[in-house]
């Protein structure tokens, strides 16, 4: 074997996270062997077990260590034993923000023999790319509840592009209690993700892209988004159409292959990408990547799926295709293609029973992984 070596941080996480990461990791290793490189995994135990055992969510020493690695591979975090938000914000979002991973790339692609709930109209299958902004919007983490009707919300935030400080103060009449959550959009934050979308559209040979927006109801934040995004797209020679996200969802369930590249603010991108995952065959086939100029992270778009954890019903294909995105990112394009082609061949050749449970077959997580591994 030649000398190419990569160090990849690995956080399998909770519930089905470790089940799918196990299969995907073996496949990445095999593809590496075939193409002359090796991966050394740096494993981190963070997630619900570690948290309940130690009280620690994500030690900063570990994050500092990861900074010099080639990539980060993550399964999913979240567990019914832990209050929602603690692990999701404390691990996943923390990593996205810390490493300024400003693009959340979510390809919605259909694969051979994967049953689609709605038949595409124009094309053979689905091939849409969601380019989701990944550091701002309602994900800033700025907000709070009132006390005796009063709110004093700390606006401090640190991002790769800027720091924010200040306070929002106000009160309801009559001591009414309530909660606030602040959405934030910055001009450079919008420009960099739209620029990424433009380059992706060009690489696909497309002259236009679509922005998921909602400036009719939320003109301050999404009107600003539209203005900046249109200007940025124009500079790249790409046409941009803003579509209200509610209508976009409506159009998508009727014509799932309507869009090429969709650029979206953080929260709309989250929602639209799960919708597209459903339309392209399931969360178990939907890969994702958090891309930035420093350490990038690779995670399937699905969560930890506690409802099927331990049953073998978790489809590892999403994690395997996410692994292909990782290989592509570190420069191992041929190895990435090997992985994606192996998934395709497996799906084309498998007997009905040998397909993942998610696609109507009987193959459990480990057998799906083994079948793809055999092909490589
Ligand atoms: P989910 O994505 O975990 O599950 C939604 C549905 O899809 C479930 O019915 C699940 O069984 C199914 N599903 C998901 N992945 C699958 C796979 N690989 N194969 C077959 N079926 C699959 O979303 P949820 O139920 O909202 O969240 C569960 C937990 O995961 C929560 O704690 C949530 O916060 C967390 N979460 C984590 C991430 C992440 O770490 N990246 C992403 C989303 C949700
Ligand atoms: C995702 C997830 C996360 C998000 C949650 C778990 C914080 O849904 O990766 O899509 O909303 O980004
Ligand atoms: Mn999501």
């Amino acid at each position: 074997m030649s000398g190419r070596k990569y160090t990849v941080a690995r956080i399998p996480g909770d519930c089905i996270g470790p089940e799918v990461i196990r299969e995907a990791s073996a496949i990445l290793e095999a593809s590496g062997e075939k193409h002359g490189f090796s991966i050394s995994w740096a494993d981190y135990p963070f997630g619900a077990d570690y948290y309940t055992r130690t009280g620690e969510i994500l030690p900063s020493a570990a994050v500092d260590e990861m900074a010099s690695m080639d990539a980060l591979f993550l399964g999913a975090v979240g567990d019914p034993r832990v209050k929602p938000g603690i692990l999701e914000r404390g691990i996943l979002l923390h990593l996205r923000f810390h490493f300024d991973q400003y693009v959340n790339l979510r390809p919605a692609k259909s694969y051979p023999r994967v049953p689609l709930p709605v038949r595409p109209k124009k094309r053979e299958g689905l091939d849409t790319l969601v380019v989701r902004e990944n550091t701002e919007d309602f994900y800033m983490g700025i907000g709070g509840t009132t006390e005796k009707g009063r709110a004093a919300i700390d606006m401090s935030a640190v991002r790769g592009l800027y720091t924010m400080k200040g306070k929002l103060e106000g009160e309801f009449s009559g001591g009414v209690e309530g909660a606030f959550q602040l959405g934030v959009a910055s001009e450079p934050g919008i420009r960099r993700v739209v620029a990424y979308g433009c380059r992706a559209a060009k690489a696909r040979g497309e002259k236009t892209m679509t922005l998921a927006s909602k400036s009719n109801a939320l003109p301050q934040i999404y009107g600003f988004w539209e203005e900046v995004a249109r200007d940025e797209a124009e500079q790249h020679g790409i046409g941009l159409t803003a579509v209200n996200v509610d209508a976009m969802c409506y159009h998508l369930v009727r014509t799932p292959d309507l869009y090429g590249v969709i650029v979206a603010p953080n929260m709309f991108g989250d929602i639209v990408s799960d919708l597209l995952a459903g339309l392209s065959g399931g969360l178990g086939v939907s890969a994702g990547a958090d891309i930035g100029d420093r350490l990038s992270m690779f995670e399937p778009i699905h969560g930890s799926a506690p409802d099927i954890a331990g049953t073998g019903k978790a489809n590892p294909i999403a994690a395997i295709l996410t692994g292909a995105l990782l290989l592509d990112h570190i420069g191992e394009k041929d190895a990435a293609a090997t992985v994606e082609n192996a998934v395709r061949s497996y799906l084309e050749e498998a007997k009905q029973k040998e397909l993942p449970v998610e696609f109507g077959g009987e193959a459990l997580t480990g057998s799906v992984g083994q079948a793809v591994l055999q092909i490589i």
Side-chain angles (χ1 to χ4, degrees):
M1 181 177 290
S2 88
R4 269 169 13 256
K5 283 200 172 93
Y6 300 94
T7 307
V8 177
R10 186 165 60 175
I11 305 178
D14 299 318
C15 305
I16 69 162
E19 300 172 16
V20 297
I21 288 294
R22 185 180 310 125
E23 301 310 319
S25 300
I27 286 162
L28 297 200
E29 285 165 17
S31 187
E33 234 167 86
K34 190 168 171 168
H35 292 276
F37 64 89
S38 65
I39 298 174
S40 143
W41 303 106
D43 278 311
Y44 295 96
F46 310 127
D49 282 340
Y50 185 82
Y51 172 65
T52 39
R53 212 158 18 86
T54 66
E56 239 181 350
I57 300 172
L58 179 66
S60 58
V63 177
D64 291 346
E65 221 171 70
M66 292 172 197
S68 61
M69 299 182 187
D70 295 296
L72 167 54
F73 199 27
L74 184 142
V77 296
D79 182 298
R81 292 172 296 167
V82 181
K83 191 174 166 216
I86 293 182
L87 302 168
E88 293 87 343
R89 287 206 72 88
I91 298 176
L92 191 67
L93 298 187
H94 183 90
L95 289 164
R96 289 178 187 168
F97 301 157
H98 179 87
F99 290 114
D100 202 22
Q101 296 160 345
Y102 59 92
V103 174
N104 186 196
L105 210 55
R106 298 186 151 183
K109 262 201 213 177
S110 54
Y111 283 86
R113 296 186 58 212
V114 175
L116 304 184
V118 186
R119 196 145 41 92
K121 298 227 166 96
K122 292 188 293 187
R123 315 175 210 209
E124 187 76 352
L126 275 179
D127 184 15
T128 292
L129 182 66
V130 177
V131 177
R132 169 191 180 192
E133 199 289 319
N134 213 23
T135 62
E136 300 189 317
D137 207 38
F138 289 96
Y139 279 68
M140 287 297 288
I142 299 172
T145 50
T146 53
E147 202 172 309
K148 301 200 172 85
R150 284 166 181 271
I153 293 164
D154 181 5
M155 286 172 61
S156 310
V158 180
R159 288 295 181 273
L161 290 169
Y162 52 78
T163 58
M164 248 174 46
K165 55 184 185 190
K167 219 179 203 185
L168 273 177
E169 289 185 75
E171 63 181 280
F172 287 101
S173 63
V176 168
E177 301 293 5
F180 297 85
Q181 190 89 43
L182 192 69
V184 173
S186 72
E187 181 178 347
I190 298 170
R191 287 197 185 276
R192 63 182 181 175
V193 70
V194 171
Y196 190 99
C198 290
R199 292 193 294 273
K202 282 186 190 166
R204 292 162 55 99
E206 292 165 5
K207 293 191 175 63
T208 60
M209 60 188 193
T210 309
L211 172 68
S213 189
K214 187 72 194 168
S215 58
N216 55 353
L218 293 84
Q220 288 83 0
I221 187 165
Y222 299 123
F224 183 71
W225 247 96
E226 287 179 19
E227 209 174 291
V228 176
R230 220 171 257 127
D231 183 68
E232 183 66 27
E234 204 176 292
Q235 290 181 30
H236 292 260
I238 294 287
L240 181 127
T241 311
V243 175
N244 287 324
V245 69
D246 49 349
M248 178 178 276
C249 292
Y250 170 78
H251 289 306
L252 274 172
V253 287
R254 295 170 67 92
T255 316
D257 56 340
L258 189 59
Y259 305 109
V261 174
I262 297 176
V263 177
N266 210 339
M267 194 161 78
F268 298 155
D270 178 45
I271 298 166
V272 165
S273 59
D274 262 32
L275 173 56
L276 274 161
L279 291 167
S280 61
L283 279 165
V285 67
S286 303
D290 304 276
I291 309 283
D293 300 329
R294 297 157 64 195
L295 182 76
S296 292
M297 176 161 80
F298 297 82
E299 38 148 353
I301 87 172
H302 64 70
S304 59
D307 55 337
I308 55 166
T311 65
K313 288 185 189 160
N315 186 354
I317 291 183
I320 296 168
L321 293 171
T322 296
L325 294 177
L326 188 159
L327 295 180
D328 191 78
H329 182 81
I330 62 175
E332 297 293 349
K333 311 257 175 230
D334 293 344
T338 293
V339 171
E340 194 179 353
N341 290 335
V343 168
R344 270 181 202 286
S345 315
Y346 152 68
L347 291 170
E348 273 159 4
E349 288 153 26
K351 299 196 183 79
Q352 177 61 30
K353 276 169 78 161
E354 293 162 355
L355 289 171
V357 177
E358 193 183 34
F359 304 158
E362 292 172 20
L364 300 183
T365 317
S367 339
V368 176
Q370 273 304 312
V372 177
L373 188 65
Q374 287 314 311
I375 293 170
I376 292 174

